[in-house]
Amino acid sequence: MVTVFTINQKDAFQAAWFMKKRLFTPGPTPVPENVMLRMAAPIIHHRNPEFMDILERVHDDLKYLFRTTQPVVVMTCSGTGGMEAAVSSLFRQGDKVITINSGKFGERWGELVRIYTGNCVEEMVEWGTAVSPERIGELLDEHPDALGVCITHSETSTGTASDVKALCAAIREKSDALILVDGITAIGAHEFHFDDWGADICITGSQKGLMMPPGLALVAISERAQDIIHNHKHQTQYYLSLRKALKAHTGNDTPFTPAVSLIIGLDEALQMLRSEGIENVWKRHEALAGACRIGCQALGMKLFSSSPSFAVTAVWLPAGAEWKPFNHTLKIKNGITVAAGQDRFAGKIFRISHLGYYDELDMLTLVGGLERSLSMMNIPFETGAGVSAVQRAFLGE
Ligand SMILES: *Cc1c(COP(=O)(O)O)cnc(C)c1O
């Protein structure tokens, strides 16, 4: 028998013998069958021409994805490794950098900057809301000596999207500060134009919109940022050096042994995104997110964010529901895994992913699963109200 979940015997016994596992977490996200099959092939050597051809195509397709003519380097580490590579490769001790803390991941920018520069101006923003371009402008007026601004496009911990186009314009109007964008759950879900919007760094991770297992960070680097990286006299890091990554990139190579199988899987996933067309990928995410919100609201649940992300929907737990039994009912009795609230919202909200390999019927399944769970927990709702609302949203009724 295949283990259904890593849970205790009693729960395993309670779980149905036949139950599909359905993952609705904003990283890792589900991996398409064709991507898994490509990764199952025998390993090849990373300096052989076959692999270098694959990496060349991946480099090209990543430029398409990020909307850039600049290099997007592939690093073998999770998304946070890409963030750390950017901060440590661009800034030095004493450099003033502004970060926006509107959730767990914005907070992470601040933690990284404090370690590498010791001079972080951290703007606290109410969780569940997005920072305004006006506020960014004020911050730059107060700190004209800031060398960088770190922002989060889709704040996964709160399900909140910020208007990165307007934020970049506001920064560019006032200052030459480098713009670092955490695009980890935005790339592939939200419209984003690295070159046209004037970003200097944008990062994503393989296990998010790219429909891949965890293990790769992808980092786009502007010309300005490349100049700064090359002009630093002393290297302050080794494995996470963007200078090394950029040098290898020019020869369709990587500085160290990369996660070969993951890069081969990424090649397949990028072909899928390319053939769907990036504009259609963005539209699909917007439609799935909209339907998810409508479905949850039809079940009487309240949304957490005032500026909802197209990658992840954060929802207040229904009145009368505790997180543990709610999660247990969803996961063990219905096979559906969602993400918990983080930090001070643990036990208060839950988060549903529609990032990556999802379609319309997945949203009907998710909302149908929520209905079954509410029913099992004796939480009142109108049977079919959520599913019907989602169905009508997709059918345009
Ligand atoms: C997942 C995530 C990260 C962290 O990525 P890891 O791959 O877990 O290191 C950072 N920022 C955002 C917005 C994320 O969603």
Side-chain angles (χ1 to χ4, degrees):
M1 183 197 139
V2 177
T3 311
V4 179
F5 297 103
T6 46
I7 47 170
N8 62 42
Q9 277 304 152
K10 191 166 141 268
D11 284 342
F13 192 72
Q14 279 176 6
W17 280 99
F18 179 82
M19 190 192 286
K20 273 194 187 175
K21 287 180 282 181
R22 293 177 163 99
L23 189 60
F24 287 93
T25 55
T29 64
V31 180
E33 294 78 354
N34 49 317
V35 172
M36 290 194 273
L37 282 171
R38 276 286 300 278
M39 292 189 296
I43 194 76
I44 57 174
H45 193 270
H46 56 289
R47 307 264 188 248
N48 94 27
E50 187 189 349
F51 182 73
M52 291 175 103
D53 285 350
I54 291 172
L55 193 56
E56 184 175 3
R57 189 162 57 229
V58 164
H59 283 159
D60 198 51
D61 291 342
L62 285 171
K63 289 181 179 176
Y64 169 80
L65 183 70
F66 283 75
R67 320 307 294 144
T68 184
T69 57
Q70 298 306 308
V72 184
V73 299
V74 181
M75 307 184 79
T76 297
C77 57
S78 82
T80 308
M83 295 168 77
E84 182 154 3
V87 171
S88 62
S89 296
L90 285 169
F91 305 119
R92 289 295 176 264
Q93 273 302 327
D95 287 356
K96 184 183 271 188
V97 178
I98 297 170
T99 67
I100 310 297
N101 178 343
S102 56
K104 212 62 206 149
F105 295 108
E107 184 178 271
R108 187 163 298 179
W109 274 133
E111 288 166 352
L112 283 163
V113 167
R114 278 191 288 273
I115 288 174
Y116 286 98
T117 84
N119 192 359
C120 178
V121 176
E122 185 176 42
E123 171 73 2
M124 304 301 290
V125 176
E126 192 190 336
W127 285 26
T129 70
V131 69
S132 68
E134 295 71 31
R135 183 61 199 137
I136 291 265
E138 284 167 18
L139 282 164
L140 286 163
D141 287 338
E142 290 162 32
H143 302 279
D145 53 338
L147 297 183
V149 182
C150 300
I151 56 183
T152 312
H153 194 168
S154 162
E155 177 49 78
T156 318
S157 63
T158 66
T160 302
S162 58
D163 184 349
V164 167
K165 184 184 184 183
L167 296 180
C168 287
I171 297 166
R172 282 282 175 265
E173 197 191 309
K174 302 260 175 178
S175 140
D176 284 332
L178 293 166
I179 305 174
L180 285 73
V181 181
D182 172 349
I184 297 182
T185 52
I187 289 292
H190 281 267
E191 181 168 2
F192 177 73
H193 301 268
F194 185 81
D195 288 354
D196 290 353
W197 293 1
D200 290 293
I201 292 283
C202 181
I203 303 144
T204 192
S206 54
Q207 81 279 27
K208 310 274 176 139
L210 290 172
M211 316 183 282
M212 288 279 301
L216 298 176
L218 302 311
V219 186
I221 309 164
S222 74
E223 237 172 318
R224 287 189 335 147
Q226 289 170 54
D227 288 344
I228 290 172
I229 289 164
H230 289 122
N231 288 337
H232 279 311
K233 281 209 185 68
H234 303 293
Q235 297 245 47
T236 53
Q237 78 286 78
Y238 194 86
Y239 188 76
L240 293 179
S241 164
L242 287 186
R243 189 192 293 192
K244 284 193 178 71
L246 280 166
K247 185 161 174 253
H249 182 277
T250 56
N252 288 311
D253 201 352
T254 54
F256 313 103
T257 312
V260 171
S261 305
L262 289 178
I263 291 174
I264 292 171
L266 182 59
D267 179 34
E268 186 74 21
L270 288 167
Q271 308 294 317
M272 288 173 72
L273 293 173
R274 251 197 129 129
S275 60
E276 186 178 353
I278 192 66
E279 286 85 5
N280 296 327
V281 175
W282 295 331
K283 273 189 217 141
R284 172 165 56 84
H285 283 81
E286 183 171 0
L288 297 183
C292 181
R293 293 196 299 272
I294 287 171
C296 290
Q297 286 174 305
L299 294 177
M301 299 182 200
K302 291 196 172 57
L303 304 176
F304 178 69
S305 176
S306 61
S307 171
S309 163
F310 298 162
V312 50
T313 297
V315 188
W316 289 100
L317 278 171
E322 300 268 333
W323 164 249
K324 271 197 172 165
F326 179 74
N327 185 41
H328 183 276
T329 311
L330 265 178
K331 188 186 282 188
I332 308 303
K333 302 232 165 79
N334 291 289
I336 289 178
T337 304
V338 295
Q342 288 177 290
D343 208 290
R344 73 197 88 140
F345 294 102
K348 299 205 166 77
I349 63 170
F350 69 102
R351 296 171 299 137
I352 303 161
S353 163
H354 22 76
L355 172 63
Y357 188 46
Y358 292 103
D359 65 8
E360 297 186 354
L361 289 178
D362 286 327
M363 287 301 107
L364 281 168
T365 302
L366 179 270
V367 173
L370 283 175
E371 290 197 2
R372 293 166 69 100
S373 302
L374 293 177
S375 164
M376 287 172 181
M377 295 180 73
N378 295 317
I379 293 173
F381 72 101
E382 191 194 324
T383 305
V387 173
S388 160
V390 172
Q391 186 75 284
R392 280 200 305 268
F394 286 138
L395 298 179
E397 289 175 5

